[in-house]
Amino acid sequence: MSDKKVIAVVGATGAQGGSLVRAILDNKNAEFKARAITRDVNSEKARALANAGAEVVEADVNDLQSLVKAFEGAYGAFCVTFFWEHFSAEKEKLHAKNMAEAAKQSGVQHVIWSSLEDTRRWIPLSDDRMPTLQDKYKVPHFDAKGEANAFFTDRHLPVTILNTSFYWENMIYFGTGPKKGENGKLAITFPMGDKRLPSISCEDIGKCAYGIFKRGSEYIGKTIGIAGEFISGAQMAAALTKALGQEVVYNDVPPEVYRSFGFPGADDMGNMFQFKRDFEKEYIAGRDISLARKLNPDLQDFGTWLAKNKDRIPLE
Ligand SMILES: NC(=O)c1ccc[n+]([C@@H]2O[C@H](COP(=O)([O-])OP(=O)(O)OC[C@H]3O[C@@H](n4cnc5c(N)ncnc54)[C@H](OP(=O)(O)O)[C@@H]3O)[C@@H](O)[C@H]2O)c1
């Protein structure tokens, strides 16, 4: 089995990286094996990955040398940053730079960089429809990733830039699921008007990444965007109503109201939804559901995902 190609996966105990590790482990006869990267090889999640058959190694995205070591001898590297751990666009860029440099120094043959658009291409800082955040960003967790693309391309790495989409799992882990309003009705709340939100199950992100690695050089040097469905708030509420067996309504709020909700990162999320609303056509044009399905034939739409996961969504 030693002739299998190693894919080194950053964020392996998390959502995106974890889904890629599972996709590799689920295909035991395939040409790849998974090297799971974690800061703590003794954590419960890391031990579970080792028990499932992954090689588990330690590295920290703050520490270039630890990444070089973790990538060494690997064929591929999956790189992702963790904005919601620190809320800092500058840190996110530093971490992306470290991963790009580690990929260069270790000579991996294929890098997937999990990215998002730099929204300033559409909304320059001078556009005051939304506030500028962290001094030089409109949507910090998008803009930093988009800006960081250059760390990979300037080093002439064999990279596929993978633009992901909003996870449906946010309804389970990130508080975006239905909540009871003052009228006692369950509602999902976000400022998208009647526009469609490109979204996906994060399990499918890993499976699509696996599909990219499996296709060898086909997607090297390319930027691709994936989603499971383009779905409006009203359509999401209707699907939730059907799956949960109780009425869920869509509560469209103005972006400035969403930005004022007060949870950490509400301003960034408010700007993000506003960008997706105001540039629906352009944002959707950057994502291709049929390509995602080609890479991952198991790709789910929201209804399919809900049928499997509705009981995991916490309801008050
Ligand atoms: N939520 C969404 O809808 C969505 C959609 C598109 C893109 N994104 C982006 O996805 C990214 C997060 O990915 P995710 O959801 O897969 O994250 P996640 O589930 O929160 O995973 C985080 C994992 O990263 C590891 N980690 C954290 N800090 C680290 C460090 N300093 N060095 C090495 N590893 C570290 C942790 O592993 P250990 O504790 O084992 O070290 C943890 O398990 C964010 O940048 C976000 O903007 C999110």
Side-chain angles (χ1 to χ4, degrees):
M1 289 298 140
S2 58
D3 55 344
K4 287 197 177 206
K5 295 176 184 166
V6 171
I7 306 287
V9 182
V10 177
T13 58
Q16 292 192 35
S19 66
L20 173 57
V21 171
R22 283 187 289 280
I24 297 170
L25 293 174
D26 285 348
N27 286 274
K28 294 215 182 326
N29 297 323
E31 59 182 311
F32 298 114
K33 57 184 179 182
R35 179 182 293 167
I37 298 174
T38 172
R39 290 165 300 177
D40 178 7
V41 293
N42 294 312
S43 74
E44 205 176 304
K45 284 181 177 174
R47 285 205 314 268
L49 291 176
N51 289 338
E55 176 191 3
V56 179
V57 303
E58 229 159 65
D60 189 311
V61 292
N62 290 294
D63 176 355
L64 171 62
Q65 284 318 314
S66 74
L67 287 169
V68 174
K69 206 166 152 225
F71 287 179
E72 236 150 41
Y75 160 83
F78 178 80
C79 299
V80 58
T81 42
F82 313 106
F83 181 86
W84 303 105
E85 297 251 323
H86 47 69
F87 299 90
S88 159
E90 294 305 307
K91 278 193 186 163
E92 193 164 29
K93 286 193 295 186
L94 173 69
H95 296 158
K97 188 177 174 192
N98 283 343
M99 287 185 278
E101 183 55 27
K104 188 77 190 173
Q105 289 188 25
S106 58
V108 296
Q109 293 172 58
H110 192 172
V111 184
I112 296 180
W113 160 231
S114 176
S115 191
L116 289 167
E117 285 86 346
D118 185 337
T119 66
R120 295 166 297 181
R121 182 175 151 205
W122 293 275
I123 315 177
L125 297 186
S126 57
D127 187 329
D128 59 8
R129 87 182 76 181
M130 63 177 70
T132 292
L133 302 175
Q134 299 185 25
D135 298 328
K136 47 183 180 188
Y137 305 97
K138 285 300 190 187
V139 184
H141 79 283
F142 269 58
D143 301 348
K145 290 183 182 68
E147 204 180 310
N149 291 349
F151 295 132
F152 295 86
T153 53
D154 288 354
R155 284 173 173 75
H156 306 289
L157 284 163
V159 65
T160 304
I161 296 172
L162 178 63
N163 285 331
T164 62
S165 289
F166 190 81
Y167 317 158
W168 294 316
E169 284 80 359
N170 291 337
M171 292 199 179
I172 304 172
Y173 303 113
F174 206 71
T176 60
K179 294 201 174 42
K180 257 193 190 131
E182 277 165 19
N183 60 4
K185 270 192 187 167
L186 285 172
I188 48 169
T189 301
F190 46 91
M192 287 281 295
D194 61 355
K195 305 298 188 214
R196 292 167 302 155
L197 176 68
S199 38
I200 194 165
S201 163
C202 65
E203 276 310 302
D204 287 325
I205 297 178
K207 289 182 183 177
C208 288
Y210 181 59
I212 294 169
F213 280 126
K214 273 201 307 199
R215 280 167 177 76
S217 60
E218 191 176 342
Y219 293 101
I220 287 179
K222 299 208 165 109
T223 298
I224 62 175
I226 52 169
E229 190 170 355
F230 306 142
I231 184 168
S232 70
Q235 289 169 329
M236 253 189 212
L240 282 160
T241 299
K242 191 171 157 209
L244 299 173
Q246 53 180 313
E247 191 185 10
V248 178
V249 296
Y250 167 52
N251 182 21
D252 176 31
V253 290
E256 52 276 21
V257 170
Y258 196 94
R259 281 190 283 271
S260 73
F261 278 165
F263 63 84
D267 50 359
D268 187 323
M269 294 270 289
N271 282 11
M272 174 194 79
F273 282 123
Q274 186 177 355
F275 162 71
K276 292 176 183 180
R277 183 194 71 178
D278 293 357
F279 295 89
E280 181 202 31
K281 207 167 128 243
E282 293 82 353
Y283 185 62
I284 280 182
R287 281 156 182 73
D288 185 340
I289 294 172
S290 52
L291 171 59
R293 183 158 293 114
K294 188 174 126 188
L295 294 168
N296 162 28
D298 299 336
L299 187 78
Q300 302 162 83
D301 60 18
F302 186 51
T304 315
W305 180 83
L306 266 183
K308 273 194 242 156
N309 292 283
K310 60 180 169 24
D311 296 333
R312 299 170 66 210
I313 300 174
L315 298 177
E316 290 154 357

